[in-house]
Amino acid sequence: MAELQLQHLDKIYDNNVQAVYDFNLDVKDGELIVLVGPSGCGKSTTLRMVAGLEDISKGKLLLDGRDITQAPAKDRDMAMVFQNYALYGHMTIYENMAFSLTLRKENPNVIHKKVMAAAEILDLTAQLNKKPAQLSGGQRQRVAMGRAIVRNPKVFLFDEPLSNLDAKLRSSTRREIVCMSMGHVQQVGTPLELYDTPNNLFVASFIGLPPMNLFDVVFENGKLRGKGFEAELSEEQKDMLRSYDRKTIVLGVRPEDISQGEGILAKVSVNENLGMNTLVQGYMGDNCRVTAKLRGWASYRSGDQVSLRFGKMHFFDKETTNAIRKEAR
């Protein structure tokens, strides 16, 4: 059993540059948490603080209730997989995976069993006698993961662990996400929660591919009016936006929530067939760009007109960038 608590962690460097602000997170035993965000947002710095490779400027780090804020890295019982693999080029894959256990002078039979078990999990059994230079980037990344697995630590820390893995392995390892921006936690939740109910404009635009369409609109007379289009609202949506009457807000619509149907006219600029879907880019009015991911195969040409209907819509406060949601009663 292992539980990790990050309580109000800050990271401030000697030049007074702050990289992480008031980071709070509880990780339960067996839970998988993923940090996402743009380059430089503080993901790696947070992991390095947890691992003991960076000092914590403020806050506490607890492992199973024990304060390890000042504990050296070697005493934290954690394994970290680095983005650059950090493998020993002169050793075989087997020797790389067994290295930490060999240093601890574990029984050779136990070492062998742990290495073979990890190699089977990561599909590396046939590569154990090779050197790292003979492997692909994805295979080397799996070796680095295997080296962490054989240690059986209380906590695994992975810095960009999925970038070189195949799609099958990537999709099976995502569970829960912490979305960061500029050193601040923006939202914590499952991928579906961040996708379906983003807390703010940053999360809305960062999660999802193609990214969410975002339009400045005015709520007036029960409708949303943008540049080149109008969108009808349900009674529930009108009620939710009542306090924004005649104000500019941001409307968000994911490309996959746009379908063909009577509604909004757009002039096609790009038609990209993706098999079971078609990505259509175009303009509503003169310069209001929209991207739609339509079901099925479409063959629009540049200049064609298509009629679109918005499905699920997200609303955001223009000033605070926070999501506008129905108030709990």
Side-chain angles (χ1 to χ4, degrees):
M1 298 289 288
E3 293 191 359
L4 188 67
Q5 292 176 293
L6 287 66
Q7 299 180 346
H8 305 287
L9 297 192
D10 284 359
K11 178 59 183 178
I12 305 171
Y13 289 102
D14 293 339
N15 57 2
N16 290 323
V17 172
Q18 188 158 356
V20 177
Y21 298 78
D22 195 30
F23 193 108
N24 291 277
L25 184 67
D26 289 345
V27 185
K28 294 180 173 55
D29 182 60
E31 191 171 16
L32 175 62
I33 300 290
V34 181
L35 305 184
V36 298
S39 178
C41 74
K43 304 186 299 295
S44 295
T45 301
T46 301
L47 285 183
R48 291 176 65 84
M49 284 195 292
V50 173
L53 303 177
E54 292 277 3
D55 292 334
I56 295 172
S57 304
K58 190 184 296 184
K60 284 187 177 181
L61 181 66
L62 305 179
L63 180 60
D64 291 335
R66 181 171 64 95
D67 189 342
I68 62 168
T69 308
Q70 303 300 329
K74 65 182 181 64
D75 296 334
R76 296 193 180 192
D77 197 10
M78 299 180 183
M80 186 163 179
V81 177
F82 297 92
Q83 186 176 358
N84 63 354
Y85 321 134
L87 301 178
Y88 297 105
H90 66 286
M91 294 182 180
T92 65
I93 301 310
Y94 183 101
E95 291 168 338
N96 265 280
M97 292 175 65
F99 184 68
S100 63
L101 304 181
T102 303
L103 283 181
R104 284 157 43 179
K105 298 182 179 179
E106 285 206 22
N107 185 299
N109 291 331
V110 173
I111 293 176
H112 183 73
K113 287 180 180 178
K114 289 183 176 181
V115 171
M116 295 307 294
E120 185 173 353
I121 291 171
L122 296 167
D123 194 22
L124 291 170
T125 306
Q127 317 299 331
L128 291 176
N129 291 324
K130 295 180 180 179
K131 299 288 180 68
Q134 297 174 273
L135 272 56
S136 67
Q139 289 173 323
R140 277 178 275 175
Q141 200 154 33
R142 279 183 274 153
V143 174
M145 293 173 69
R147 187 172 56 188
I149 289 171
V150 297
R151 287 181 52 192
N152 193 27
K154 285 189 175 181
V155 178
F156 290 97
L157 302 170
F158 298 89
D159 191 4
E160 297 283 356
L162 309 182
S163 57
N164 287 309
L165 299 185
D166 60 78
K168 180 180 178 182
L169 190 55
R170 280 202 305 270
S171 64
S172 66
T173 54
R174 292 190 178 126
R175 292 296 181 273
E176 189 161 359
I177 288 178
V178 177
C179 188
M180 297 182 67
S181 173
M182 301 296 288
H184 294 271
V185 174
Q186 301 296 317
Q187 188 170 351
V188 179
T190 64
L192 180 58
E193 288 168 347
L194 270 65
Y195 172 88
D196 211 35
T197 54
N199 276 353
N200 52 45
L201 278 172
F202 176 81
V203 178
S205 58
F206 187 80
I207 302 295
L209 191 68
M212 181 184 286
N213 294 285
L214 298 172
F215 313 108
D216 282 356
V217 295
V218 175
F219 176 57
E220 189 175 9
N221 297 326
K223 293 183 179 181
L224 292 178
R225 291 187 170 87
K227 293 182 179 179
F229 73 96
E230 284 188 356
E232 299 286 342
L233 297 173
S234 67
E235 291 303 318
E236 183 179 4
Q237 290 169 329
K238 293 175 187 177
D239 185 57
M240 183 169 59
L241 297 175
R242 185 183 303 160
S243 62
Y244 289 89
D245 189 45
R246 300 188 182 184
K247 294 181 180 179
T248 299
I249 63 173
V250 179
L251 166 66
V253 187
R254 294 202 180 278
E256 47 271 39
D257 287 330
I258 299 177
S259 59
Q260 292 170 289
E262 295 301 321
I264 301 166
L265 288 178
K267 182 179 290 186
V268 175
S269 58
V270 176
N271 183 96
E272 183 180 358
N273 294 117
L274 304 175
M276 295 184 67
N277 300 290
T278 302
L279 200 63
V280 175
Q281 297 178 7
Y283 292 88
M284 302 176 296
D286 293 330
N287 59 2
C288 188
R289 186 169 181 171
V290 62
T291 299
K293 191 174 182 179
L294 305 178
R295 293 182 180 179
W297 188 279
S299 300
Y300 293 109
R301 296 181 180 179
S302 179
D304 285 352
Q305 280 201 329
V306 58
S307 185
L308 303 174
R309 178 182 296 141
F310 291 169
K312 181 170 182 175
M313 292 185 279
H314 304 260
F315 310 107
F316 303 92
D317 188 291
K318 176 73 172 174
E319 294 183 3
T320 68
T321 76
N322 292 330
I324 302 170
R325 300 217 175 100
K326 183 179 179 181
E327 295 182 4
R329 295 180 178 177

